[in-house]
């Protein structure tokens, strides 16, 4: 078989621990034999981040802005214990946080669905994608305890000195207060990212807030989404045969549970945080959750939703066998290759990535899987394989598919 040619490099961001091992195995077994893989490589593994004073992370984010598509391995976000373990110069920030700040993106998370793992919700047939607005609200809050009787006020002073003042509450005793914010600009870029993603994957977009209670704060989200939809997307949605639909979050929750799936659920920051874990768990496993960061100017960064699977890595270092699931990392690669293929008009690359996805899903559906899935499958006697053998099993099926 001749190798598939690429024209533009993918921004490849290597990572840490067990996922770094999986990363190399995926490349060697499932990509390099078939694709003349063109990547611009950035080593975001913790030792090299430390060596470069984390400038490698910034360089990688800039490269995504330049080329438009990146694929990232899971990375360690250092804490005090990691500083000790890796003898770090500094407790470097989360690479995902750094990249997100540069790309200003929205995170879309979707579960991988296989027929031998039944979602906890019986009606769900197709994946539900959560689109999480990853800026502001309680994640950038100011809060404190009120010691006792007194008046809490909300004050805004404009740059020319004009003041707005509202009483929050006349406290008769101790309690708590909190100040949160969001920006029209950030909400608008969230809106564009959601609408473009819906057009890209041709699925309906739902959006929910608590606008009946939060008549200004949440209502602003609702209004900005609607204005942008009417002005720039309504026609495109109609041509694509998809819908945008707003509903109160309570109603959304009830509808999601009754639904068949197969849509995007856009959520405010907190709702997205909570609902993505609910959706991932109800569909089966974190190891089967894909994640893509989409920036308002159309850049894409693909990754797995899980971390570096440290517990398995320590076992691996002791020479023990591991059974780590590579699916989310593999789908980060196929997602990025497909996007590159679409942008550069290389249909062979898109169909290869589709086939690789099909081969990996078939491997699981035929009963060959890693331990995490074996614990939750409907199949009575699954064949449990180790980390590397699972990749080899996928390759076998890929070769069969390519030979047909
Ligand atoms: P984790 O790596 O997601 O792993 C948590 C547990 O989930 C594992 O111990 C394992 O359970 C299970 N698991 C996760 N992925 C799996 C897979 N692919 N196959 C099989 N089982 C899987 O989270 P963590 O242990 O909390 O974090 C480890 C490191 O990852 C941390 O240093 C953190 O900073 C980093 N992290 C990075 C990202 C990112 O780069 N996007 C995200 C989250 C965390 P069992 O041990 O029970 O088998
Ligand atoms: Mg969370």
């Amino acid at each position: 078989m001749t190798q598939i040619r690429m024209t533009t490099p993918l921004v490849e961001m290597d990572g840490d621990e067990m996922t770094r091992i999986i990363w190399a195995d995926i490349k060697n077994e499932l990509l390099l034999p078939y694709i003349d893989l063109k990547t611009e490589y950035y080593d975001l593994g913790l030792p090299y981040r430390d060596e470069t004073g984390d400038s490698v992370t910034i360089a990688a984010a800039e490269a995504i802005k330049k080329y438009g598509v990146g694929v990232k391995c899971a990375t360690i976000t250092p804490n005090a214990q990691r500083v000790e373990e890796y003898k770090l110069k500094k407790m470097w920030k989360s690479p995902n946080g750094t990249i997100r700040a540069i790309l200003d993106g929205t995170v879309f998370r979707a579960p991988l669905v296989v027929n031998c793992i039944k979602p906890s919700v019986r009606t769900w047939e197709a994946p539900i994608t959560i689109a999480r607005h990853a800026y502001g609200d309680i994640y950038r809050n100011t809060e404190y305890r009120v010691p006792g009787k007194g008046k809490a006020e909300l004050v805004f002073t404009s740059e020319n000195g004009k003041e707005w003042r509202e009483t929050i509450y006349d406290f008769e005793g101790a309690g708590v207060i909190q100040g949160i914010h969001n920006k029209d600009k950030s909400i608008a870029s969230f809106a564009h990212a959601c609408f473009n993603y819906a057009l890209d994957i041709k699925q309906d977009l739902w959006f929910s807030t608590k606008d009946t209670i939060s008549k200004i704060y949440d209502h602003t989200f609702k209004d900005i989404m609607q204005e942008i939809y009417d002005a720039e997307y309504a026609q495109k949605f109609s041509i694509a045969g998809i819908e945008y639909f707003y509903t109160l979050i309570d109603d959304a929750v009830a509808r999601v549970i009754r639904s068949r799936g197969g849509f995007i659920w856009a959520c405010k920051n907190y709702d997205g945080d909570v609902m993505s874990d609910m959706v991932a768990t109800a569909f089966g496993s974190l190891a089967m959750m894909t994640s893509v960061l989409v920036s308002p100017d159309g850049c894409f960064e693909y990754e797995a939703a899980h971390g570096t699977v440290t517990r398995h890595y320590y076992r691996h270092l002791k020479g023990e066998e591991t059974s780590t699931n590579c699916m989310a990392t593999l789908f980060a690669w196929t997602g990025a290759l497909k996007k590159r293929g679409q942008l550069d008009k290389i249909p062979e690359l898109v169909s290869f990535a589709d086939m690789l996805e099909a081969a990996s899903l078939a491997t699981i559906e035929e009963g060959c899987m890693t331990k995490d899935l074996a614990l939750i499958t409907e199949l009575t006697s699954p064949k449990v394989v180790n980390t590397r053998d699972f990749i080899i099993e996928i390759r076998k099926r890929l070769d069969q598919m390519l030979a047909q």
Side-chain angles (χ1 to χ4, degrees):
M1 182 192 147
T2 54
Q3 284 194 318
I4 299 163
R5 299 292 293 265
M6 291 175 66
T7 49
T8 317
L10 261 183
V11 179
E12 174 187 355
M13 290 159 281
D14 208 342
D16 289 298
E17 301 192 313
M18 207 56 212
T19 40
R20 189 178 180 98
I21 291 166
I22 287 175
W23 194 261
D25 281 348
I26 288 175
K27 279 177 69 182
N28 289 331
E29 297 297 336
L30 301 175
L31 302 176
L32 290 170
Y34 311 95
I35 306 171
D36 183 14
L37 195 66
K38 241 187 168 169
T39 73
E40 196 166 289
Y41 180 86
Y42 292 87
D43 185 359
L44 300 198
L46 189 49
Y48 195 65
R49 269 184 281 149
D50 193 48
E51 195 183 316
T52 60
D54 207 24
S55 67
V56 63
T57 308
I58 295 163
E62 295 298 343
I64 300 173
K65 272 184 140 174
K66 177 174 165 194
Y67 293 113
V69 187
V71 56
K72 181 181 168 292
C73 181
T75 47
I76 293 169
T77 298
N79 54 15
Q81 181 258 319
R82 298 298 199 165
V83 171
E84 179 61 28
E85 182 183 357
Y86 284 82
K87 305 279 175 263
L88 300 178
K89 292 184 227 155
K90 214 175 129 178
M91 200 186 292
W92 304 107
K93 284 189 193 160
S94 146
N96 286 343
T98 302
I99 294 168
R100 209 175 289 166
I102 293 170
L103 295 181
D104 177 24
T106 299
V107 178
F108 295 89
R109 296 210 152 155
L112 300 170
V113 178
V114 283
N115 64 13
C116 56
I117 294 168
K118 293 269 172 281
S120 313
V121 179
R122 265 176 297 140
T123 52
W124 288 358
E125 287 165 8
I128 295 166
T129 302
I130 298 283
R132 174 182 172 190
H133 179 220
Y135 178 84
D137 304 350
I138 61 162
Y139 301 85
R140 292 283 291 267
N141 70 358
T142 305
E143 58 178 21
Y144 53 80
R145 278 196 56 75
V146 167
K149 196 168 160 56
K151 182 154 93 170
E153 290 179 293
L154 194 59
V155 183
F156 173 77
T157 315
S158 76
E159 60 177 359
N160 53 24
K162 190 168 185 279
E163 199 177 89
W164 279 258
R165 188 177 286 268
E166 290 274 347
T167 301
I168 298 171
Y169 192 63
D170 272 312
F171 280 90
E172 62 284 344
V176 282
I177 52 171
Q178 177 183 60
I180 59 169
H181 79 282
N182 224 299
K183 304 188 291 186
D184 286 4
K185 188 165 176 255
S186 176
I187 301 167
S189 67
F190 172 60
H192 286 293
C194 289
F195 292 132
N196 281 323
Y197 194 77
L199 286 168
D200 193 37
I201 67 168
K202 295 209 170 36
Q203 285 189 354
D204 291 348
L205 178 71
W206 299 15
F207 180 49
S208 56
T209 72
K210 192 72 179 177
D211 65 288
T212 47
I213 299 298
S214 173
K215 292 186 195 306
I216 293 179
Y217 197 107
D218 277 21
H219 217 291
T220 296
F221 280 79
K222 177 182 177 182
D223 292 343
I224 289 176
M225 289 285 276
Q226 193 65 48
E227 280 159 24
I228 290 175
Y229 177 72
D230 292 342
E232 298 180 45
Y233 294 95
Q235 219 178 357
K236 291 179 190 163
F237 268 52
S238 141
I239 291 165
I242 57 174
E243 272 183 21
Y244 169 62
F245 139 79
Y246 176 85
T247 188
L248 195 64
I249 185 135
D250 321 36
D251 181 49
V253 169
R255 284 174 189 262
V256 164
I257 298 298
R258 286 198 308 266
S259 78
R260 293 168 169 242
F263 55 89
I264 304 159
W265 182 9
C267 292
K268 284 179 62 201
N269 209 348
Y270 171 80
D271 300 340
D273 185 352
V274 177
M275 294 307 167
S276 72
D277 280 15
M278 191 271 284
V279 167
T281 309
F283 269 105
S285 159
L286 196 59
M288 298 286 277
M289 192 77 166
T290 64
S291 184
V292 56
L293 174 74
V294 182
S295 81
D297 50 355
C299 295
F300 295 78
E301 186 222 9
Y302 294 83
E303 60 169 351
H306 60 75
T308 58
V309 210
T310 311
R311 293 207 322 161
H312 296 205
Y313 181 61
Y314 289 163
R315 252 180 263 149
H316 168 82
L317 289 181
K318 281 195 267 174
E320 292 169 24
E321 187 162 77
T322 58
S323 182
T324 315
N325 188 337
C326 67
M327 290 295 281
T329 304
L330 177 58
F331 273 69
W333 272 103
T334 54
L337 289 168
K338 266 196 261 188
K339 180 53 73 181
R340 202 60 279 164
Q342 285 160 1
L343 293 174
D344 297 343
K345 305 201 167 43
I346 310 173
E348 313 87 83
L349 192 58
V350 177
S351 50
F352 172 79
D354 279 334
M355 205 175 275
L356 182 48
E357 289 181 357
S360 65
L361 294 168
T363 306
I364 297 171
E365 292 186 344
E366 286 166 20
C368 178
M369 60 191 76
T370 44
K371 205 165 150 192
D372 55 314
L373 298 185
L375 291 170
I376 54 171
T377 181
E378 305 275 304
L379 299 175
T380 44
S381 50
K383 179 181 169 197
V384 184
V385 285
N386 67 32
T387 309
R388 191 175 159 76
D389 286 350
F390 183 59
I391 291 173
I392 302 299
E393 290 285 344
I394 294 173
R395 182 167 180 181
K396 272 190 214 159
R397 286 162 182 83
L398 176 66
D399 286 336
Q400 283 163 10
M401 286 178 175
L402 286 167
Q404 274 165 21

